[in-house]
């Protein structure tokens, strides 16, 4: 079967070194197996995303020397233009009686949540799962607009990550009922990513470790909707010399600044070195890294980013 991989950035700002590493490794994973690369624009949030930023993102990837076989700015590959697909999946979940409205404000949500033991994320308590029809009516009358959650079962889900190995969550305890549609009617990432990966035939998902904890819920949602979950590969986080996670706040690692500092080959060579594919950060093109790519070389623990 042909491998189909994707890169799915959000055009909410300029890409960051971590996004570039994910893009490069997703690309190498596909190209080293003669697969098909899809570029999907995850521009669900109209407040934060724009077509200009998406165009910039596409141009930044091209500058780096990455290419793709499907997608980009075409409407069928932009989440903001795919609402019908999310609507259909949502209706399917409604038919399965897995959807309920949640009227909690942000403060109520936090108060009614249990912190997740391992990563500090909050797990929704299910506060609105059992509201009566009258209670819902009263809340609506008071002007509350609900978000919609999907009810997760008490079930252990294990994903076999192609890079990180086995990862298990008990959905009700470690994830909780999660939002699939926000109160402003914007579709949630968790629903959109599953629907899109399924409809775009994505077989391999390569992305940062920050999304590992979302993967069991996504695998579960794939199955509930009648799809086969993709094979996941999660990459270690990039950290600074003090072990702190690099963030969007580290402006010097933002694509705007990186492009002023490095040539595309210097940047790709540096990323290839961080990913364990070459012994030094010497310049390289993405093509030159294809034959050197193997998952066994890629670190599994945090990658320290110093200067080159
Ligand atoms: N759009 C997400 C991001 O840019 C990535 C989603 C994914 O790879 O599943 O962080
Ligand atoms: Zn609620």
């Amino acid at each position: 079967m042909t491998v189909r991989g994707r890169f799915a950035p959000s055009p909410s700002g300029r890409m960051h070194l971590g996004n570039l590493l994910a893009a490069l490794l997703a690309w190498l994973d596909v190209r080293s197996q003669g697969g098909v690369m899809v570029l999907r624009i995850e521009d669900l949030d109209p407040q934060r995303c724009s077509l200009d930023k998406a165009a910039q993102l596409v141009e930044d990837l091209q500058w780096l020397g990455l290419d793709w076989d499907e997608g980009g700015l075409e409407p069928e590959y932009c989440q903001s233009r795919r609402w019908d697909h999310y609507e259909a999946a949502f209706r399917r979940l409604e038919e399965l009686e897995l959807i309920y409205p949640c009227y909690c404000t942000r403060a109520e949500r936090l108060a009614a949540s249990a912190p997740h033991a391992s990563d500090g994320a909050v797990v929704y308590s299910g506060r609105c799962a059992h509201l009566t029809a009258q209670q819902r009516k009263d809340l609506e009358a008071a002007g509350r607009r609900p978000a919609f959650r999907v009810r997760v079962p008490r079930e252990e889900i294990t994903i076999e990550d192609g890079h990180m190995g086995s990862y298990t969550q008990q959905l009700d305890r470690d994830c909780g009922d999660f939002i699939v549609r926000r109160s402003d009617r914007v579709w949630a990432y968790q629903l959109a990513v599953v629907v899109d990966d399924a409809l775009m035939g994505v077989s391999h998902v390569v992305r940062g470790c920050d999304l590992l904890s979302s993967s069991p819920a996504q695998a579960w949602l794939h199955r509930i909707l009648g799809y086969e979950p993709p094979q996941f590969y999660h990459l270690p986080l990039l950290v600074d010399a003090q072990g702190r996670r690099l963030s969007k706040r580290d402006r010097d690692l933002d694509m705007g600044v990186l492009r002023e500092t490095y040539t595309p080959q210097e940047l790709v060579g540096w990323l290839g070195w961080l990913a364990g594919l070459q012994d030094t950060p010497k310049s390289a093109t993405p093509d030159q890294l294809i034959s050197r790519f193997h998952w066994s070389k890629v670190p599994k623990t945090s990658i320290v980013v110093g200067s080159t």
Side-chain angles (χ1 to χ4, degrees):
M1 223 181 72
T2 311
V3 168
R4 288 177 61 90
R6 48 64 155 189
F7 178 48
S10 301
S12 56
R14 211 72 187 263
M15 281 186 294
H16 192 265
L17 198 66
N19 303 121
L20 300 183
L21 183 69
L24 178 63
L25 290 185
W27 186 90
L28 288 170
D29 179 59
V30 164
R31 292 287 178 244
S32 64
Q33 300 177 82
V36 174
M37 188 68 193
V38 176
L39 174 62
R40 180 169 73 235
I41 307 293
E42 301 215 321
D43 56 349
L44 282 174
D45 190 338
Q47 309 276 349
R48 298 175 61 226
C49 300
S50 68
L51 194 58
D52 282 355
K53 290 182 192 162
Q56 176 71 70
L57 199 148
V58 165
E59 207 268 314
D60 280 342
L61 290 170
Q62 286 166 336
W63 176 86
L64 204 61
L66 299 180
D67 64 353
W68 47 91
D69 309 300
E70 286 178 26
L73 298 174
E74 293 166 38
E76 248 318 280
Y77 292 85
C78 294
Q79 291 189 327
S80 59
R81 310 289 290 275
R82 296 179 53 79
W83 280 40
D84 289 354
H85 298 294
Y86 313 138
E87 185 94 52
F90 183 79
R91 259 186 266 126
R92 178 81 193 112
L93 295 171
E94 274 185 330
E95 281 160 20
L96 295 168
E97 298 185 354
L98 290 174
I99 298 286
Y100 66 86
C102 168
Y103 295 88
C104 294
T105 59
R106 196 181 142 69
E108 284 167 346
R109 227 162 44 223
L110 291 176
S113 297
H116 182 296
S118 62
D119 67 0
V122 288
V123 176
Y124 182 66
S125 66
R127 188 172 186 261
C128 294
H130 304 291
L131 294 177
T132 62
Q134 187 58 47
Q135 285 171 316
R136 287 181 186 166
K137 240 171 144 175
D138 292 346
L139 285 158
E140 299 267 351
R144 295 273 191 112
R145 288 290 161 261
F148 292 89
R149 289 183 187 270
V150 63
R151 203 188 302 273
V152 300
R154 171 163 304 181
E155 193 180 316
E156 276 204 348
I157 303 282
T158 298
I159 62 153
E160 297 299 336
D161 190 277
H163 188 51
M164 292 299 189
S166 258
Y167 179 78
T168 302
Q169 279 187 354
Q170 184 181 311
L171 283 185
D172 62 321
R173 185 194 61 208
D174 303 326
C175 169
D177 297 347
F178 57 91
I179 292 182
V180 288
R181 190 171 206 177
R182 301 185 341 194
S183 60
D184 59 5
R185 307 192 66 74
V186 172
W187 298 103
Y189 158 73
Q190 286 285 66
L191 179 70
V193 74
V194 167
V195 169
D196 287 349
D197 282 337
L199 297 186
M200 294 177 186
V202 170
S203 62
H204 283 200
V205 167
V206 177
R207 61 188 183 187
C209 232
D210 49 332
L211 291 166
L212 180 60
S213 62
S214 302
S215 307
Q218 290 173 12
W220 172 76
L221 206 47
H222 271 278
R223 293 237 161 79
I224 291 292
L225 291 169
Y227 306 126
E228 185 59 31
Q231 174 69 57
F232 293 103
Y233 295 83
H234 286 90
L235 301 170
L237 293 181
L238 298 182
V239 298
D240 65 15
Q242 283 73 46
R244 282 186 305 242
R245 184 178 162 188
L246 297 180
S247 77
K248 291 219 158 145
R249 285 184 302 275
D250 299 302
R251 281 270 305 137
D252 52 334
L253 296 174
D254 155 304
M255 195 56 166
V257 180
L258 290 172
R259 280 181 67 161
E260 285 166 16
T261 318
Y262 303 99
T263 65
Q265 289 77 23
E266 283 170 347
L267 193 48
V268 168
W270 183 28
L271 290 165
W273 174 65
L274 291 174
L277 308 182
Q278 47 181 16
D279 298 337
T280 62
K282 62 172 187 275
S283 293
T285 62
D287 277 333
Q288 287 168 335
L289 294 178
I290 295 176
S291 62
R292 298 178 207 157
F293 173 75
H294 197 275
W295 279 110
S296 63
K297 297 181 184 172
V298 181
K300 290 190 164 71
T301 53
S302 301
I303 298 173
V304 180
V305 177
S307 52
T308 52

